[in-house]
Amino acid sequence: MNSPMLKVLIALLLLAVSFQAHGQFEEWCIADEQTPDEELQRAMDWACENGGADCSMIKVNQPCYLPNTLKKHASYVFNSYYQRFKHKGGSCYFNSAAITTDLDPSHGSCKYELLP
């Protein structure tokens, strides 16, 4: 490989590492809009009861209760689980009920966790 090409590749690699270090590759886990409600509920129940997700914020009078929809609540719960366990082998799979996104799903006073 010639020297100018090597310099370009090194520069691109450094640029990519720099973007990652400054949080440009943020990722959240949300409910897949195409998943039936029964599957979302089953996955959300597992995450809250056995999985270790923080489900306190989707209870009545809490910041993430509204809008009171299954998809919004499931998205919050899935992301809570994903952020807590992604570096310990946890995934955003939930039996195909969830997907990752680089768009912050936070809304109003409901702030979704984003852990490094």
Side-chain angles (χ1 to χ4, degrees), residues 16-29:
V17 170
S18 173
F19 278 139
Q20 188 172 18
H22 289 97
Q24 295 295 317
F25 297 116
E26 298 173 337
E27 188 173 70
W28 292 265
C29 179

Side-chain angles (χ1 to χ4, degrees), residues 45-53 81 85:
D45 289 345
W46 177 85
C48 289
E49 296 167 9
N50 304 317
Y81 174 86
F85 299 107

Side-chain angles (χ1 to χ4, degrees), residues 59-115:
K59 296 188 183 302
V60 176
N61 295 325
Q62 294 300 312
C64 298
Y65 177 72
L66 295 175
N68 183 18
T69 67
L70 183 59
K71 288 198 182 356
K72 289 291 185 182
H73 286 187
S75 289
Y76 185 85
V77 168
F78 295 166
N79 187 67
S80 173
Y81 174 86
Y82 180 64
Q83 296 299 327
R84 291 166 183 246
F85 299 107
K86 65 184 176 185
H87 296 300
K88 298 175 185 173
S91 71
C92 180
Y93 180 65
F94 296 97
N95 203 26
S96 296
I99 58 172
T100 57
T101 181
D102 59 354
L103 300 174
D104 185 351
S106 299
H107 52 88
S109 61
C110 180
K111 304 299 179 208
Y112 281 54
E113 291 178 278
L114 182 63
L115 302 176

Side-chain angles (χ1 to χ4, degrees), residues 24-38:
Q24 295 295 317
F25 297 116
E26 298 173 337
E27 188 173 70
W28 292 265
C29 179
I30 59 171
D32 186 336
E33 294 288 327
Q34 299 175 6
T35 303
D37 286 351
E38 301 79 33

